[in-house]
C-alpha cells in the first residue's frame, strides 16, 4: 500500500452530515494583485492520502513559481463566469469525482460552456441573457440537460458565496424540441434477439484463431464478449487474464480503462464502484479459451501491439467496420440466393449498445430473470436504468401478445 510521510498540515473535520473529511491550508506566495502574502484552503478530501497528494502538488507549483492565482478573489463586480468556474472547479468539484470524470467535465466547459458565457460578468448574467444561450445549446447539442446542469452548479456556487442574488437558471425555460440529428437515436442502440443471433453467427463464421478469416479474431472476440457479458468497453479493455477463472467460468470485474486529465489513459475502479463477478456462458468461455491460445503473451486480454492499453475509440471502429462488412456480404448473398435470412443483416449500434443488447437478450431469454439480477450483472448504479430496458422488452412482448390475439374470419 502506498505510504507517505505524515503531513501535519492535513486536518480532519466532520461535515454537517457526520461524514469525516480532510482539509489543509497552504502558503501560496505573494498575490500579484494585492502584493500580500496569501494562503489557500482546500477541503472535501475523502482520505488523508488524497489531501496530501493535492498539498504536494500545490507545494511544488509554488516552489517552481508556477502557481496560478485565481482572479476569483477580486471584487465581485469584476468576476467573470470563468473566474467563478475556476474556483468552483478547484475548491468544490475536483476532489469529489474520479480523474476520468474531471477530464470529461473540463472538456464540456472548455468546448461548450465557457466559449458562450465564460467572459461575461457573473453578476450580469440574468435569465434574459442566459435564455438565448440555452436556446442555442438546444439547437447545437444533444446533451442540453447535462450542459445546463453543470453550468447551473457554478451559479449555485456563486450564490453560496453571495456573488449573485439569485441563480438565473431558476427562471430558464428549456426548449421542448432539442437537436437529435447529430447522433443516432439512442433508443435504437441495441440488437433484437434475431439480430444478435445473426451478428454472433456472422462473427463466428468469419473469424478464427489463425486469423485467416475476413474479420480480425481479436475484434470478433472482443465484440462477442461485450455482447454476452454486458461489460462496459473500458472494463473489457482493462481486463487481465488473471481476472478470468476458467475453472469457475467467471470474470472478476475490478477495474476500467478511462481517459483522465491531460488526455491520458489510466485504469481506475469501475464506474460507480461496480465491482462484480459475473458468470460466462459456454460460448464465451470456449471463445476466450481459444483466444488465450492465440494471445497469451500479455497480461492484458486485449492489448495493443505494444502490450499496453488500446485506445477507447478502437471498439467503435471495429463494430462499425464489422457491421458494414456484414451488410455488404448479406446483400450480395441475398442477390445470389434470394434467401430471406440474408435480406437484412443488422443496423449500426455502438459498443455500449451491446451492453443494452445483453440486458434485452437476458429478459427475452427467460421471463423469470429479475431486473435486480440484471442490474447486479451489468453494474448499473440505479435499478431505474435496468427497469427502462425491462419495460421496453415487456412492451414489445405485449404487442406480440396483442397480435397473437387477433383472429380474422
Amino acid at each position: 500500500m502506498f505510504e507517505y510521510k505524515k503531513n501535519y498540515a492535513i486536518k480532519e473535520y466532520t461535515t454537517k452530515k457526520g461524514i469525516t473529511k480532510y482539509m489543509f491550508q497552504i502558503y501560496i506566495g505573494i498575490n500579484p494583485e494585492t502584493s500580500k502574502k496569501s494562503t489557500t484552503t482546500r477541503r472535501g478530501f475523502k482520505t488523508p492520502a488524497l489531501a496530501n497528494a493535492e498539498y504536494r502538488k500545490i507545494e511544488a507549483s509554488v516552489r517552481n513559481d508556477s502557481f496560478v492565482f485565481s482572479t476569483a478573489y477580486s471584487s465581485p463586480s469584476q468576476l467573470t463566469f470563468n473566474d467563478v468556474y475556476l474556483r468552483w472547479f478547484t475548491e468544490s468539484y475536483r476532489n469529489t469525482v474520479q480523474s476520468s470524470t474531471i477530464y470529461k467535465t473540463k472538456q464540456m466547459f472548455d468546448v461548450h460552456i465557457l466559449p458562450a458565457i465564460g467572459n461575461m460578468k457573473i453578476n450580469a448574467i440574468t435569465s434574459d441573457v442566459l435564455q438565448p444561450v440555452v436556446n442555442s445549446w438546444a439547437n447545437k447539442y444533444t446533451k442540453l440537460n447535462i450542459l445546463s446542469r453543470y453550468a447551473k452548479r457554478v451559479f449555485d456556487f456563486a450564490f453560496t458565496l453571495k456573488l449573485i442574488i439569485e441563480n438565473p437558471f431558476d427562471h430558464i425555460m428549456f426548449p421542448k424540441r432539442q437537436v437529435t440529428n447529430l447522433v443516432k437515436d439512442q433508443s435504437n442502440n441495441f440488437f433484437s434477439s434475431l439480430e444478435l443471433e445473426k451478428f454472433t453467427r456472422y462473427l463466428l463464421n468469419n473469424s478464427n484463431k489463425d486469423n485467416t478469416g475476413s474479420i480480425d479474431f481479436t475484434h470478433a472476440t472482443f465484440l462477442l464478449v461485450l455482447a454476452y457479458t454486458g461489460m462496459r468497453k473500458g472494463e473489457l479493455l482493462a481486463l487481465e487474464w488473471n481476472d478470468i477463472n476458467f475453472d469457475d467460468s467467471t470474470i472478476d470485474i475490478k477495474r476500467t480503462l478511462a481517459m483522465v486529465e491531460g488526455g491520458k489513459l489510466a485504469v481506475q475502479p469501475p464506474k460507480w464502484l461496480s465491482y462484480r463477478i459475473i458468470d460466462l456462458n459456454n460460448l464465451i468461455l470456449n471463445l476466450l479459451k481459444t483466444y488465450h491460445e492465440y494471445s497469451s503473451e500479455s497480461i492484458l486480454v486485449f492489448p495493443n501491439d505494444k502490450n499496453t492499453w488500446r485506445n477507447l475509440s478502437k471498439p467503435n471502429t471495429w463494430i462499425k467496420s464489422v457491421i458494414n462488412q456484414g451488410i455488404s456480404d448479406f446483400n450480395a448473398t441475398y442477390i445470389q440466393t434470394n434467401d430471406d435470412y440474408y435480406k437484412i443483416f443488422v443496423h449500426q449500434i455502438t459498443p455500449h449498445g451491446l451492453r443494452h443488447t445483453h440486458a434485452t437478450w437476458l429478459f427475452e431469454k427467460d421471463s423469470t430473470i429479475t431486473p435486480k439480477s440484471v442490474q447486479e450483472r451489468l453494474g448499473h448504479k440505479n435499478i431505474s436504468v435496468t427497469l427502462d430496458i425491462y419495460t421496453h422488452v415487456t412492451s414489445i412482448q405485449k404487442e406480440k401478445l396483442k397480435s397473437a390475439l387477433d383472429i380474422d374470419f
Side-chain angles (χ1 to χ4, degrees):
M1 182 178 178
F2 174 72
E3 295 183 359
Y4 61 90
K5 187 176 180 180
K6 186 172 179 62
N7 186 342
Y8 292 98
I10 297 171
K11 308 296 182 184
E12 179 183 304
Y13 70 97
T14 304
T15 67
K16 293 181 179 179
K17 295 182 178 180
I19 301 173
T20 299
K21 298 280 188 177
Y22 298 87
M23 61 175 286
F24 63 82
Q25 187 177 72
I26 184 173
Y27 173 72
I28 55 177
I30 305 296
N31 189 321
E33 289 190 2
T34 63
S35 299
K36 295 181 179 180
K37 293 182 178 181
S38 302
T39 61
T40 185
T41 301
R42 303 292 167 86
R43 62 181 68 243
F45 298 94
K46 295 180 180 179
T47 66
L50 290 173
N52 183 68
E54 183 67 13
Y55 183 96
R56 299 305 179 193
K57 183 178 178 180
I58 295 175
E59 184 181 50
S61 67
V62 172
R63 187 185 307 117
N64 298 328
D65 293 325
S66 59
F67 183 84
V68 178
F69 284 85
S70 173
T71 57
Y73 297 94
S74 305
S75 171
S77 63
Q78 299 301 314
L79 296 178
T80 64
F81 178 89
N82 184 66
D83 294 331
V84 182
Y85 154 71
L86 290 174
R87 187 171 173 184
W88 166 80
F89 190 88
T90 302
E91 298 180 12
S92 176
Y93 180 74
R94 176 188 287 275
N95 304 318
T96 64
V97 294
Q98 294 190 115
S99 184
S100 60
T101 304
I102 290 175
Y103 174 78
K104 293 175 183 176
T105 303
K106 288 183 69 174
Q107 288 286 96
M108 187 186 311
F109 274 93
D110 291 345
V111 176
H112 303 306
I113 300 175
L114 295 180
I117 59 177
N119 293 327
M120 295 183 185
K121 296 291 191 294
I122 189 75
N123 58 6
I125 304 177
T126 63
S127 57
D128 289 339
V129 173
L130 195 57
Q131 187 67 62
V133 176
V134 173
N135 293 343
S136 175
W137 288 344
N139 292 327
K140 293 179 182 178
Y141 312 122
T142 58
K143 297 182 178 180
L144 172 63
N145 291 339
I146 297 177
L147 288 177
S148 299
R149 185 167 67 246
Y150 274 92
K152 183 179 185 298
R153 291 177 68 174
V154 176
F155 285 109
D156 285 337
F157 183 74
F159 180 77
T160 301
L161 296 179
K162 298 182 179 180
L163 300 176
I164 55 177
I165 59 175
E166 65 177 353
N167 190 326
F169 267 102
D170 292 340
H171 305 287
I172 290 297
M173 296 181 64
F174 290 94
K176 292 183 178 180
R177 293 188 63 185
Q178 300 176 20
V179 62
T180 57
N181 61 344
L182 294 181
V183 295
K184 296 194 176 210
D185 183 3
Q186 292 301 302
S187 64
N188 197 36
N189 190 28
F190 68 98
F191 289 149
S192 66
S193 293
L194 176 59
E195 287 179 310
L196 178 59
E197 181 273 328
K198 284 186 175 182
F199 184 73
T200 302
R201 195 177 300 279
Y202 182 72
L203 288 176
L204 292 175
N205 289 341
N206 290 277
S207 64
N208 55 64
K209 68 177 182 179
D210 297 324
N211 224 8
T212 56
S214 60
I215 299 175
D216 186 281
F217 189 45
T218 295
H219 303 175
T221 303
F222 186 93
L223 295 175
L224 287 173
V225 173
L226 279 186
Y228 287 96
T229 63
M231 293 174 68
R232 301 177 178 94
K233 68 177 181 180
E235 294 171 342
L236 190 51
L237 287 172
L239 190 71
E240 300 177 1
W241 283 114
N242 58 16
D243 298 325
I244 304 174
N245 188 322
F246 287 106
D247 294 327
D248 293 343
S249 304
T250 60
I251 286 181
D252 187 358
I253 301 172
K254 51 191 176 185
R255 70 184 73 82
T256 190
L257 183 65
M259 191 77 74
V260 298
E261 277 192 277
K264 297 180 180 179
L265 290 173
V267 292
Q268 59 184 32
K271 191 174 184 180
W272 312 126
L273 300 179
S274 52
Y275 300 97
R276 59 201 189 277
I277 296 177
I278 61 173
D279 295 315
L280 301 175
N281 63 15
N282 289 334
L283 169 67
I284 298 306
L285 180 65
N286 292 329
L287 181 62
L288 284 173
K289 285 180 178 179
T290 303
Y291 186 70
H292 193 213
E293 299 172 7
Y294 168 77
S295 176
S296 59
E297 296 180 357
S298 175
I299 294 175
L300 295 168
V301 178
F302 296 101
N304 61 18
D305 294 337
K306 297 180 180 180
N307 276 337
T308 187
W309 307 301
R310 292 180 184 269
N311 191 288
L312 284 163
S313 65
K314 284 296 183 182
N316 298 67
T317 304
W318 298 343
I319 193 169
K320 183 176 182 180
S321 176
V322 166
I323 292 176
N324 282 338
Q325 179 181 317
I327 291 173
S328 178
D329 288 349
F330 265 56
N331 183 55
T333 304
Y334 178 70
I335 292 174
Q336 292 178 347
T337 65
N338 204 34
D339 186 338
D340 283 344
Y341 179 83
Y342 296 99
K343 191 173 184 178
I344 299 175
F345 182 45
V346 299
H347 66 282
Q348 285 285 355
I349 67 171
T350 66
H352 190 75
L354 292 176
R355 183 169 156 81
H356 185 160
T357 296
H358 183 63
T360 302
W361 178 72
L362 288 173
F363 287 133
E364 290 184 350
K365 188 175 180 64
D366 188 341
S367 61
T368 65
I369 293 177
T370 65
K372 182 64 178 176
S373 62
V374 175
Q375 177 198 11
E376 293 172 353
R377 181 171 174 84
L378 270 64
H380 284 153
K381 180 182 181 182
N382 298 314
I383 197 169
S384 59
V385 179
T386 321
L387 287 172
D388 286 343
I389 300 173
Y390 178 75
T391 302
H392 178 75
V393 171
T394 53
S395 66
I396 293 176
Q397 291 173 336
K398 287 181 179 179
E399 286 297 320
K400 290 181 178 179
L401 175 60
K402 180 180 178 181
S403 298
L405 293 173
D406 290 337
I407 301 176
D408 294 327
F409 287 97

